[in-house]
Amino acid sequence: MYCIHCEGRSYTSSSTIAEEQRIFVVARELSRVVRNRYGVISVMSLVTVQITQYIIDNTELPVSTYDPFDGAHGSLGYWIMYFYQCVAMSMACFFNISFDSLCCSLFIFVRCQLDILALRLQSIGHNCNGVEESVEEVEHQLKNCIRLHMKIVELAADIEAVLYLPMSIQIMFSVLVLTSGFYAISLLSDEKLIFLKFFIYQSCMLTQVFVLCYFPGEVAQRSLKLSHGLYKSNWVHWQRSNRRLLLMLMQRLDIPIRIRTLDASLGFDLALFTSLTASFYKYQVWYLKLLGVWSLQDYATRQQRVWHALRCGLIFVIVSIMLLFFAIHVLANIDQISVILEVFFMFATELFCMTKLLSIKLKSANHARILTLMHSTAFQPISSREYQIYMRGAAHSVKWRNIYAFTSLLAASLILVTQWFVDSSALPLSMYEPCNLARDSCYYGFYLYQVLSLMPSCWLNISFDSVCGSLLFFLETQVAMLSARLQSLGAAKTPPDNVGVAMELRDCCLYYGNIVKLKEMVVNLIRVPGSVQMLCSVLVLVSNFYALSIRTSETAFMIMLGSYQFVMLMQIFIICYAADEMSGQSALLSHALYSSEWTTWNRTNRKMCLLMMLRLSKPLEVHTLDHTQSFNSLTFASIVNCSYSYFALLKRVNS
């Protein structure tokens, strides 16, 4: 490690060497502080676990385990087990302190080396006297920096190979421990000592996970900033050969150093600790995979693929049979409008469930690429302001998902339960009955079938609609982050400042291009099922309005159908609202760029700014199958207005 730190010093100035030594000392002190503070928290938790149980109930051992002696309090077997548990927990505690602090120290050392490398990259070419000496010295310094970066990458790879397995297992089990700890705290909050014991232990567990995620995340962030450090060097005066070498190094430095988990697509960082990006879609995609309609990973086994196909076939059979029974019932009562309207609201619901299933299944590979693109570095926040926007977007998405899930499950439960209280001889859903309901076996069997068929459809609607809304909220978040980035473009008083502004404008153009690319992929996911859903929603709303108008005296039915009507409106509103928010945010991008310090830029940058403003003046939209219409608040209002107009016409004709 010392060799990595010292290599290349013969080509650096005394001030740079002094700064490198300061960075090294600060990193060493940070490693010591982390070890000591983590050790104090862990030992405090250990002592609390061992002592509080004796104070609360001295007939019980500190930890609930199998007692081979089954000894009463004060017996020899009791004290042997007590002593054994204290020794075993103490050894495990100090082993955790040693391992976790060692991991942190290694990551702090790698981060320190990256800081030293950034300093050396930034100082290249600043202490050159003559032209010839400048060319040679810059080349030497560049090559030494390349060698140092290669050694840092090798060191990070060696550390990852040793630590990724125990760290991954530790974080995986920490989730279970934290869950049980939070549950215990919620149950035992009235017992002060027990609450204190769990609270301190929970704090220790959170600290343990945090330090194992924070410092690897710091390594990734510092490695991403290396190219910016190289860009801040005096490269504009270098010769062409050295600039080519710089360009090659910058391309390599664009790839961050990440400490991977067992899942190679994830790294140990604060994103793993908070799981912000995954919170936009995590549970919805998990359920779609459970149904077998979302594609599996490439490394899935043959057995997993077989079960995946069977689950997919099962959900298609369930929805198909429901549609068949509804269709038979409609055809059998084609001359009775009240029966048709009673059947149609669930028939239309199952119809766009089938549309969603087919849409996702037929293009599942394309939809899976959306998640891969969302996790790319192009969409990660790079400043504290962007991080706050990112967190707000994730919280907004989760809030809407939970509200929609709660109302949908409430409506489905009311549909299945209300009929039992109103008329226990009839089924919750009006459909073709293949057997005589007067027989208990037929009635309860068919009732169970309707429950088992309706609930997966309900969860499918929740998953699909909320994931569509969440993806649109994610796009809105990215547009807001781009807006903040454009607003923060600073003044350019010198030629190097203008070069920096030009690079930032270029990065913003690339970022906007990635947002547009992701938007097109999301539109492909939403367009067909969303358009079919809007069409069917008009018919469902009409039938529900009509049913509510003719059965006003039936309170239970009004509550059931009213909740279902509210869910139907929310189902359309989520996608329209999220798309409208994204479009509104994208319409502000041009103003955000205008709010920057563009008046101080040179002519070339102002031309680029003008071109960007022309492009950004057109907001992003999510079009339906009819390309002249988009998902937005006006579309939602027109659907409600159209539904009520058809209802009024139907009511007038029928009366």
Side-chain angles (χ1 to χ4, degrees):
M1 289 184 180
Y2 184 76
C3 293
I4 292 179
H5 176 60
C6 296
E7 185 178 340
R9 279 192 172 186
S10 58
Y11 303 104
T12 54
S13 65
S14 57
S15 61
T16 304
I17 293 174
E19 182 63 19
E20 289 180 11
Q21 290 175 340
R22 189 194 65 80
I23 292 172
F24 195 79
V25 170
V26 169
R28 185 174 60 189
E29 180 65 18
L30 177 62
S31 174
R32 187 186 65 81
V33 169
V34 170
R35 179 200 64 202
N36 293 344
R37 291 184 180 177
Y38 177 59
V40 168
I41 294 174
S42 300
V43 171
M44 187 187 302
S45 175
L46 171 68
V47 173
T48 306
V49 170
Q50 292 178 348
I51 292 177
T52 50
Q53 185 60 47
Y54 191 81
I55 297 173
I56 296 168
D57 184 3
N58 58 15
T59 63
E60 297 290 337
L61 293 169
V63 180
S64 181
T65 60
Y66 168 68
D67 184 2
F69 301 105
D70 197 20
H73 174 63
S75 65
L76 179 62
Y78 173 84
W79 289 113
I80 290 175
M81 282 298 296
Y82 202 103
F83 177 75
Y84 163 74
Q85 287 192 357
C86 290
V87 172
M89 285 193 294
S90 299
M91 292 177 63
C93 175
F94 284 105
F95 178 77
N96 273 333
I97 294 171
S98 303
F99 178 81
D100 297 338
S101 60
L102 174 63
C103 294
C104 293
S105 297
L106 292 173
F107 296 134
I108 290 171
F109 179 81
V110 175
R111 189 188 73 165
C112 163
Q113 296 302 318
L114 290 170
D115 289 340
I116 291 171
L117 177 57
L119 180 64
R120 292 185 185 178
L121 291 170
Q122 191 173 340
S123 62
I124 293 176
H126 285 289
N127 301 304
C128 303
N129 299 321
V131 177
E132 304 237 346
E133 183 185 351
S134 169
V135 174
E136 293 179 2
E137 185 169 348
V138 165
E139 185 178 353
H140 277 301
Q141 289 176 349
L142 275 171
K143 288 182 177 179
N144 280 321
C145 288
I146 291 171
R147 294 190 191 99
L148 178 56
H149 181 258
M150 291 173 66
K151 288 198 172 184
I152 293 172
V153 172
E154 290 174 6
L155 175 63
D158 291 340
I159 293 173
E160 177 188 311
V162 175
L163 300 180
Y164 85 98
L165 182 60
M167 287 175 61
S168 299
I169 294 173
Q170 182 163 322
I171 289 179
M172 180 174 66
F173 281 102
S174 295
V175 174
L176 304 177
V177 174
L178 290 170
T179 303
S180 60
F182 283 128
Y183 183 71
I185 288 174
S186 67
L187 291 178
L188 306 171
S189 57
D190 294 335
E191 302 181 27
K192 299 297 187 294
L193 282 175
I194 297 179
F195 177 81
L196 178 65
K197 177 180 74 172
F198 278 105
F199 179 78
I200 295 176
Y201 182 75
Q202 201 79 334
S203 301
C204 179
M205 287 299 302
L206 287 169
T207 304
Q208 185 182 58
V209 180
F210 178 79
V211 295
L212 292 179
C213 292
Y214 176 75
F215 290 108
E218 283 285 287
V219 170
Q221 290 299 319
R222 298 298 170 89
S223 64
L224 278 172
K225 294 178 180 178
L226 287 176
S227 58
H228 183 65
L230 179 57
Y231 185 78
K232 290 165 70 176
S233 63
N234 195 22
W235 62 271
V236 291
H237 301 297
W238 297 353
Q239 288 202 353
R240 189 173 184 180
S241 59
N242 287 335
R243 289 204 299 270
R244 284 181 178 175
L245 196 59
L246 173 138
L247 182 60
M248 292 178 64
L249 179 57
M250 286 190 73
Q251 288 179 337
R252 175 60 185 87
L253 294 177
D254 283 338
I255 304 174
I257 298 174
R258 291 189 179 276
I259 310 299
R260 306 290 178 181
T261 64
L262 278 174
D263 182 355
S265 64
L266 297 176
F268 292 101
D269 49 27
L270 285 183
L272 179 65
F273 183 67
T274 56
S275 300
L276 284 179
T277 303
S279 66
F280 281 95
Y281 63 82
K282 179 169 60 176
Y283 297 110
Q284 300 97 309
V285 170
W286 175 84
Y287 182 71
L288 293 175
K289 285 183 179 179
L290 181 65
L291 291 181
V293 293
W294 198 275
S295 64
L296 291 173
Q297 295 85 350
D298 294 335
Y299 53 82
T301 63
R302 188 174 183 276
Q303 184 179 7
Q304 289 175 327
R305 295 185 184 280
V306 170
W307 281 108
H308 187 263
L310 289 175
R311 293 196 301 270
C312 178
L314 178 63
I315 188 64
F316 271 107
V317 168
I318 288 173
V319 177
S320 299
I321 293 176
M322 290 276 284
L323 286 172
L324 178 63
F325 283 174
F326 283 132
I328 292 174
H329 196 59
V330 168
L331 294 174
N333 300 274
I334 196 68
D335 57 337
Q336 301 180 39
I337 189 170
S338 59
V339 175
I340 293 175
L341 292 176
E342 187 178 352
V343 174
F344 195 80
F345 80 99
M346 283 307 302
F347 179 67
T349 302
E350 292 299 320
L351 186 63
F352 50 71
C353 274
M354 178 62 79
T355 306
K356 293 170 184 176
L357 285 172
L358 291 172
S359 175
I360 299 172
K361 186 61 181 177
L362 294 176
K363 297 182 179 179
S364 58
N366 295 334
H367 302 332
R369 286 199 271 281
I370 295 175
L371 308 186
T372 304
L373 187 58
M374 286 173 64
H375 282 280
S376 65
T377 55
F379 295 106
Q380 299 303 314
I382 60 174
S383 66
S384 58
R385 184 183 177 189
E386 291 183 14
Y387 188 73
Q388 290 173 355
I389 295 171
Y390 202 74
M391 289 185 66
R392 282 200 302 270
H396 194 55
S397 170
V398 170
K399 181 185 75 174
W400 275 102
R401 180 201 69 198
N402 293 343
I403 292 173
Y404 178 55
F406 175 76
T407 52
S408 298
L409 291 175
L410 177 63
S413 302
L414 288 173
I415 289 172
L416 294 172
V417 173
T418 304
Q419 187 61 44
W420 180 271
F421 293 101
V422 175
D423 183 5
S424 59
S425 63
L427 292 170
L429 305 178
S430 181
M431 60 167 62
Y432 167 68
E433 299 162 2
C435 58
N436 186 7
L437 296 182
R439 291 184 299 171
D440 288 346
S441 58
C442 177
Y443 175 80
Y444 287 112
F446 212 58
Y447 201 110
L448 179 63
Y449 163 75
Q450 289 193 355
V451 171
L452 296 178
S453 300
L454 183 63
M455 293 312 292
S457 300
C458 176
W459 279 108
L460 173 65
N461 278 327
I462 293 171
S463 301
F464 182 84
D465 298 334
S466 60
V467 83
C468 290
S470 295
L471 292 174
L472 292 171
F473 285 132
F474 182 82
L475 284 168
E476 181 210 350
T477 302
Q478 296 301 320
V479 173
M481 286 164 54
L482 175 58
S483 179
R485 204 171 293 184
L486 291 170
Q487 273 185 312
S488 64
L489 293 174
K493 299 178 181 178
T494 61
D497 290 341
N498 276 302
V499 174
V501 168
M503 291 295 292
E504 290 180 4
L505 283 171
R506 170 186 169 275
D507 291 340
C508 289
C509 288
L510 293 174
Y511 186 21
Y512 183 74
N514 286 324
I515 292 174
V516 172
K517 179 182 177 182
L518 179 61
K519 191 269 295 184
E520 292 301 324
M521 296 174 72
V522 173
V523 169
N524 288 333
L525 171 66
I526 296 174
R527 180 185 287 126
V528 175
S531 300
V532 173
Q533 182 164 305
M534 282 202 311
L535 177 65
C536 294
S537 295
V538 174
L539 304 177
V540 172
L541 291 172
V542 170
S543 63
N544 286 353
F545 280 134
Y546 185 78
L548 287 170
S549 67
I550 62 175
R551 299 177 66 174
T552 55
S553 60
E554 302 176 27
T555 306
F557 178 80
M558 291 285 288
I559 293 173
M560 182 267 292
L561 205 58
S563 64
Y564 181 78
Q565 190 82 327
F566 179 76
V567 169
M568 284 302 303
L569 290 170
M570 180 172 282
Q571 193 175 55
I572 312 166
F573 179 76
I574 283 180
I575 296 178
C576 291
Y577 170 73
D580 203 32
E581 287 289 295
M582 181 199 68
S583 298
Q585 191 67 49
S586 64
L588 300 175
L589 285 175
S590 182
H591 179 71
L593 180 55
Y594 184 80
S595 301
S596 63
E597 300 288 339
W598 62 271
T599 53
T600 61
W601 300 347
N602 61 16
R603 189 174 182 180
T604 304
N605 286 339
R606 290 202 300 270
K607 283 184 178 179
M608 191 183 297
C609 174
L610 179 60
L611 288 171
M612 286 185 67
M613 289 183 72
L614 289 172
R615 175 62 185 90
L616 297 175
S617 61
K618 182 181 179 182
L620 300 176
E621 294 182 339
V622 181
H623 292 286
T624 65
L625 284 175
D626 179 5
H627 290 281
T628 62
Q629 191 175 18
S630 303
F631 292 98
N632 51 43
S633 55
L634 292 176
T635 303
F636 174 75
S638 65
I639 289 173
V640 177
N641 186 38
C642 180
S643 301
Y644 188 79
S645 299
Y646 282 127
F647 157 69
L649 177 63
L650 180 65
K651 184 75 172 172
R652 183 179 180 85
V653 170
N654 194 52
S655 62

